[in-house]
Amino acid sequence: MFKLKQSILKEMKLLFRDFGGLIILFLMPIILVVMVTSIQDSTYQDVGASKIPILWIDQDQDSISYQLKEELTNSQNFTLIDSLNNKPITQKMAQEAVFKGKYQMGIVLPERLTQDLQIKVRQNVDALLEEMGMATATYEPVELKKKEIALYFDPATQVAFKNGMKSSIDKMVLQLENQSIYKTFESQLGGSTSMIQNEKLIDFNEILPVKNNEEVRPNSVQHNVPAWTLFAVFFIIIPLSINIVKEKNQGTYLRILSSPTSHVVLYFGKIITYLIICLLQFFAIVIVAKLVFPFMQLPDLAISLNQLFLMSIMTLTAGLTAISLGILVGIVAKTQEQSAPFGATFTVILAAVGGVWIPVFAMSETMQQISKISPMHWALNGYYDIVLRNGSLIDIVPEMLCLTLFSVVFLTIVFVYDKKKRTV
């Protein structure tokens, strides 16, 4: 027990002498969680904090274009701009401005959009009524050219935004087309609009989890605190591997092993020391989220004591995996120039694959399968089970078992590799 205590004290001294390492472990994650949460907060709000400016070119100037403009304006997410420098926007001006990144998007409605749509609807209604023996055609069918609503997007715009806008505009046009069909049938059959119910029969209702008789809505803080806590925990790989390389190069490692001390005690000293650091990182980020975020007009991190306890357990389990990986990197690496860049790069790769930056469900099927080999994937799922899904200890047991398995594999490789080196 005395040897283990001395090993822990040695690790503490090495760690606190490394000022740069302390910055990596504590200050950097706090800055990251504050900055990323501030940036992402508006994406979790019901109504965007800022409206997206869209260049609007209306060559139709009729009912369809007016209603489309009204729908987009009423959405409260967009600002439609139809003039620049007190001059009406042309299609060429819109194309140049959007492609240069000055505006996110441009919409160009073609000429005779409303008229041709009404003719098309009238022809279809006439054909249907004629087939039913109720011929009402009043003019010869006209061959119509296909109408295209031109959409210009900034080349840097994400695909998800493009698809969302295309879907929204298509839905609006379809709705207006249906209204036109109703009106045409009414005029042809002599009906009355008062008999037609315009209320939507089918609607969407998002069912949210309920806690204390209140709906729980996820926010940016609940997503980013777990994600960047995990990122901070795995950055332990860098200072831990560097310290192990230092010990090997300075001969400290050999002197310890030549003493009547088991190398298992040496490793357990490192594990216990850095597990304490993991908990300190976690509590530091939680304190910042609770005390600093409200002053920045960001949502509060609403977690109960039970959730805090479960998150602490998950942090220790994830920390054990990160420490095991850090020991492995330190044992295998021969110089600090090898361990530090590899540790940083590998952590970033694990975060990217594990879903810290991009949600796993948004990845391809192949990448979704690959993400399962990242410890961060399982740890992040465990955090989300606690914070967002109101899970209990039983719910996070599978993730904890997977992380423990990662730790066992890494430490087994460490002991086998270390024993082989000492034997040689």
Side-chain angles (χ1 to χ4, degrees):
M1 191 68 184
F2 174 77
K3 293 178 180 179
L4 179 61
K5 180 181 177 181
Q6 293 302 313
S7 178
I8 293 173
L9 289 175
K10 174 185 73 70
E11 295 299 329
M12 287 288 186
K13 289 179 180 178
L14 285 174
L15 184 61
F16 284 96
R17 286 174 185 170
D18 185 6
F19 185 71
L22 291 176
I23 290 178
I24 290 176
L25 292 178
F26 290 97
L27 187 58
M28 187 195 70
I30 290 175
I31 294 174
L32 279 173
V33 75
V34 171
M35 296 301 296
V36 174
T37 304
S38 301
I39 293 169
Q40 292 185 351
D41 184 54
S42 61
T43 64
Y44 289 90
Q45 297 176 4
D46 292 333
V47 179
S50 59
K51 294 185 177 182
I52 299 174
I54 294 179
L55 299 182
W56 178 261
I57 300 94
D58 183 4
Q59 298 176 351
D60 178 47
Q61 296 293 328
D62 209 331
S63 59
I64 296 294
S65 62
Y66 296 154
Q67 291 178 64
L68 276 175
K69 184 175 183 179
E70 184 179 1
E71 289 281 345
L72 289 171
T73 303
N74 291 339
S75 69
Q76 298 183 358
N77 293 322
F78 309 104
T79 299
L80 300 185
I81 301 173
D82 55 14
S83 63
L84 293 175
N85 300 323
N86 297 323
K87 294 181 180 179
I89 302 175
T90 63
Q91 188 165 352
K92 184 178 180 181
M93 291 169 60
Q95 180 177 335
E96 291 179 355
V98 173
F99 286 175
K100 288 182 179 179
K102 296 179 180 178
Y103 293 91
Q104 191 82 11
M105 180 182 178
I107 301 177
V108 181
L109 301 183
E111 296 178 351
R112 294 180 54 86
L113 176 63
T114 301
Q115 295 179 33
D116 288 357
L117 178 61
Q118 290 173 347
I119 293 173
K120 178 70 174 177
V121 169
R122 179 66 177 270
Q123 288 178 353
N124 290 341
V125 171
D126 284 345
L128 181 60
L129 292 177
E130 185 174 356
E131 187 176 343
M132 297 170 61
M134 304 170 61
T136 59
T138 55
Y139 52 84
E140 292 294 327
V142 179
E143 186 176 350
L144 300 172
K145 292 183 179 179
K146 187 176 181 180
K147 294 294 180 183
E148 292 184 350
I149 297 177
L151 302 178
Y152 295 101
F153 291 99
D154 178 3
T157 300
Q158 294 183 351
V159 175
F161 175 79
K162 293 181 181 180
N163 293 337
M165 286 302 302
K166 291 175 184 177
S167 177
S168 297
I169 294 174
D170 186 57
K171 180 181 176 182
M172 292 177 191
V173 172
L174 182 61
Q175 198 171 21
L176 294 174
E177 187 174 355
N178 289 337
Q179 291 176 5
S180 180
I181 292 173
Y182 275 124
K183 290 179 180 178
T184 304
F185 267 111
E186 172 205 339
S187 62
Q188 295 293 77
L189 299 178
S192 172
T193 54
S194 61
M195 300 298 294
I196 298 176
Q197 297 180 0
N198 292 320
E199 291 82 6
K200 292 172 65 177
L201 177 63
I202 301 175
D203 208 342
F204 296 97
N205 181 26
E206 181 184 2
I207 309 300
L208 297 170
V210 177
K211 184 178 180 181
N212 298 328
N213 297 324
E214 292 185 1
E215 291 184 339
V216 179
R217 290 188 174 273
N219 56 53
S220 57
V221 174
Q222 290 172 314
H223 280 268
N224 283 299
V225 167
W228 295 106
T229 296
L230 195 56
F231 197 71
V233 165
F234 272 81
F235 249 91
I236 274 179
I237 294 173
I238 300 173
L240 175 55
S241 61
I242 288 176
N243 285 341
I244 292 176
V245 171
K246 280 183 180 178
E247 288 181 342
K248 292 194 300 182
N249 293 339
Q250 294 173 358
T252 307
Y253 182 69
L254 290 177
R255 287 198 297 271
I256 293 175
L257 292 181
S258 62
S259 66
T261 302
S262 170
H263 63 288
V264 175
V265 174
L266 174 66
Y267 290 136
F268 268 103
K270 296 180 186 297
I271 290 172
I272 293 173
T273 300
Y274 282 90
L275 281 178
I276 295 172
I277 297 299
C278 288
L279 275 181
L280 291 176
Q281 288 176 311
F282 167 66
F283 287 120
I285 292 176
V286 169
I287 290 171
V288 169
K290 295 291 287 185
L291 300 181
V292 177
F293 282 4
F295 290 100
M296 299 176 63
Q297 307 300 317
L298 293 173
D300 180 32
L301 179 63
I303 56 174
S304 63
L305 289 177
N306 181 57
Q307 288 176 317
L308 185 65
F309 173 70
L310 293 178
M311 290 179 73
S312 300
I313 295 177
M314 181 56 67
T315 301
L316 288 175
T317 312
L320 179 61
T321 306
I323 294 165
S324 304
L325 185 55
I327 294 174
L328 178 58
V329 172
I331 290 295
V332 174
K334 296 181 179 179
T335 65
Q336 295 181 40
E337 288 74 16
Q338 290 179 354
S339 63
F342 178 82
T345 305
F346 196 58
T347 300
V348 171
I349 292 173
L350 290 178
V353 174
V356 172
W357 294 340
I358 301 173
V360 174
F361 69 83
M363 300 179 184
S364 65
E365 281 191 33
T366 303
M367 289 306 300
Q368 288 183 27
Q369 296 301 320
I370 293 175
S371 70
K372 294 179 181 179
I373 67 174
S374 170
M376 287 198 189
H377 167 75
W378 300 101
L380 193 60
N381 272 344
Y383 278 129
Y384 285 166
D385 283 342
I386 298 167
V387 179
L388 299 175
R389 303 183 184 113
N390 295 320
S392 62
L393 179 60
I394 296 176
D395 295 315
I396 62 173
V397 166
E399 285 85 359
M400 292 174 63
L401 289 176
C402 286
L403 290 171
T404 304
L405 181 60
F406 276 112
S407 304
V408 171
V409 171
F410 294 148
L411 289 176
T412 301
I413 297 173
V414 167
F415 288 128
V416 171
Y417 182 83
D418 189 39
K419 184 178 180 180
K420 184 178 179 181
K421 280 188 63 179
R422 287 187 288 112
T423 302
V424 174

